[in-house]
Amino acid sequence: MNPAQQQAYLSLLELERKSLPTTDYLRELIRAHLSRVPFENASKIHYYRTRGREGLRWLPDLETYLRNMAERGFGGNCYILNACFGELLRSLGYRVELVRATGGNTHLGLRVEAEGRLYYVDVGYGAPLFDPLPLEEEPRFARCGEEVEIRRVAEGHYRIDRRANGQSFVTKYIEWSPVPLESFGEAIAHSLRDEDENPFMRRIVATLFRKETAYSVVNHKLFVKRGNETEVHEFTSKREWLSMMNRTFRLDEAVLEEALAFLSERGVHLFPSS
């Protein structure tokens, strides 16, 4: 990452560069990212249509990522968000390595060293992971309507379990050893398979966090989670939904229309006119 890209990235996060790669600054960067850059799949569909499905060729380069974030409100999935955030952290002086998590689609996370200690960092999971997580301490916490529990299951392997109302809804297994980005090519291609059995290519999702509140969209429903309370807002008007998506996640209307058309072509109609 060159200095201009670093400055552009930090400006989008509304943060300034600090001279030392401290744990506190790492926490500040994570929280800014989760509150300003959405986990979403409309951009996934856009890149599928414009860049193809061949693993790493689908993955946008850093310049494209930053431009689309600034101009169109794009975020991305774990491959995009964590890979690019890792580049920012490296440019700021952190030692950063990629790690794999298995269970369902293969997940890409980060192993970050700050002040001599290793942390799990993840801005691409749609989860309230607001802090650098020391896995050896097996952290457990409740935030934004869900509980997160991390447990060691074997040497160098940890289970991360996300729960709502006491029920597990997604579990992955973190392999706590570094792997190269190139090793995710097949996993990325698998996540892009254009099949009904692949839910992230048959629905629209987005998540962003602000002030301990989670805003999550699944198709035409918006879930607002504060503590143990959840508000559900259902949209029947496409125009009102587009306005909400732009207002809440800053996503560009054109990419949302593109995603709606993609789903409609495959028999998934969120609104009567789509």
Side-chain angles (χ1 to χ4, degrees):
M1 177 179 289
N2 61 47
Q5 291 171 332
Q6 182 196 82
Q7 183 54 56
Y9 208 147
L10 289 175
S11 294
L12 289 165
L13 298 182
E14 299 180 16
L15 293 177
E16 295 182 355
R17 189 186 193 285
K18 295 187 177 179
S19 57
L20 295 176
T22 65
T23 306
D24 285 343
Y25 186 38
L26 177 59
R27 180 178 295 106
E28 188 177 356
L29 288 158
I30 293 168
R31 294 186 175 194
H33 212 285
L34 291 175
S35 68
R36 292 178 176 85
V37 187
F39 171 86
E40 49 81 21
N41 73 327
S43 64
K44 174 181 181 177
I45 292 171
H46 171 77
Y47 292 132
Y48 175 84
R49 293 177 69 123
T50 58
R51 300 176 69 91
R53 65 184 75 180
E54 297 181 20
L56 296 174
R57 290 182 61 185
W58 166 87
L59 195 69
D61 59 84
L62 189 60
E63 194 67 32
T64 299
Y65 168 75
L66 291 172
R67 182 176 65 252
N68 282 334
M69 190 197 306
E71 297 177 1
R72 310 183 72 179
F74 284 15
N77 61 4
C78 68
Y79 304 116
I80 296 173
L81 295 174
N82 282 328
C84 292
F85 187 53
E87 287 298 313
L88 174 64
L89 295 179
R90 288 189 190 96
S91 77
L92 293 169
Y94 294 95
R95 179 186 171 194
V96 181
E97 296 165 313
L98 307 183
V99 295
R100 179 181 290 108
T102 59
N105 284 338
T106 298
H107 184 70
L108 185 155
L110 301 174
R111 189 170 84 161
V112 181
E113 183 177 338
E115 298 182 278
R117 192 172 186 187
L118 291 176
Y119 296 96
Y120 181 69
V121 171
D122 196 340
V123 297
Y125 201 19
L129 307 183
F130 298 147
D131 301 296
L133 299 174
L135 295 189
E136 73 278 3
E137 294 184 5
E138 299 182 296
R140 179 177 181 176
F141 51 88
R143 285 175 175 160
C144 301
E146 70 174 88
E147 301 168 7
V148 178
E149 180 182 81
I150 297 178
R151 288 288 180 263
R152 180 180 178 273
V153 294
E155 183 66 31
H157 290 75
Y158 295 84
R159 181 185 69 240
I160 179 168
D161 190 21
R162 297 172 61 187
R163 303 173 184 171
N165 301 316
Q167 299 295 316
S168 177
F169 65 91
V170 61
T171 299
K172 290 191 177 293
Y173 293 86
I174 301 167
E175 300 172 2
W176 201 225
S177 55
V179 292
L181 179 62
E182 291 73 21
S183 69
F184 286 94
E186 185 176 339
I188 294 173
H190 181 74
S191 77
L192 294 169
R193 62 196 192 282
D194 194 355
E195 304 169 355
D196 291 347
E197 291 72 23
N198 183 10
F200 283 98
M201 296 294 281
R202 293 293 183 270
R203 65 186 182 191
I204 295 177
V205 297
T207 298
L208 201 64
F209 298 91
R210 294 194 186 100
K211 297 180 180 179
E212 296 290 328
T213 300
Y215 298 84
S216 296
V217 158
V218 179
N219 287 338
H220 61 287
K221 292 184 179 180
L222 169 67
F223 300 86
V224 183
K225 302 176 183 179
R226 301 181 183 90
N228 294 322
E229 298 182 357
T230 301
E231 300 173 9
V232 182
H233 303 268
E234 187 168 352
F235 293 82
T236 58
S237 162
K238 184 174 77 169
R239 174 50 52 194
E240 291 179 359
W241 179 82
L242 289 169
S243 177
M244 177 276 295
M245 292 292 284
N246 180 262
R247 184 173 62 252
T248 306
F249 303 101
R250 307 185 187 96
L251 281 165
D252 177 68
E253 183 175 308
V255 77
L256 294 169
E257 290 277 18
E258 181 182 31
L260 289 174
F262 178 88
L263 296 183
S264 182
E265 291 164 5
R266 288 149 180 82
V268 181
H269 305 283
L270 271 60
F271 304 100
S273 59
S274 63

